[in-house]
Amino acid sequence: TKTMDLISIPRDSRVEINGYLDKINAAHSYGGMDDTIKTIRNFLSIDLDYYAEVSFQAVEDGVDALGGVD
């Protein structure tokens, strides 16, 4: 369908990771992207097929393109 959905999950969201409650940003340190994707799928009950990594420089460039932050 050439469509995509974009979500933003607050990094302090409390989720179950491998049977334990923790912040969602901890999933990556436990098992890399595999555990992160599994955690997001379980947390939101969604079919997550792909993800994108964005460098911090790209975020800075995007903010600057929108007029920056005072």
Side-chain angles (χ1 to χ4, degrees):
T1 63
K2 296 184 181 188
T3 64
M4 71 175 213
D5 294 309
L6 180 69
I7 59 171
S8 177
I9 303 169
R11 56 180 273 149
D12 290 337
S13 297
R14 197 164 182 197
V15 297
E16 186 175 309
I17 306 170
N18 297 326
Y20 299 96
L21 287 177
D22 207 333
K23 294 178 182 179
I24 198 162
N25 62 329
H28 192 270
S29 65
Y30 293 139
M33 282 309 298
D34 289 339
D35 268 8
T36 303
I37 290 171
K38 184 173 97 175
T39 300
I40 293 169
R41 283 179 175 158
N42 292 337
F43 175 55
L44 298 176
S45 299
I46 62 171
D47 186 21
L48 179 61
D49 295 318
Y50 303 98
Y51 66 93
E53 282 188 34
V54 179
S55 70
F56 191 73
Q57 185 62 51
V59 174
E60 287 183 5
D61 293 345
V63 169
D64 289 345
L66 294 173
V69 176
D70 293 328

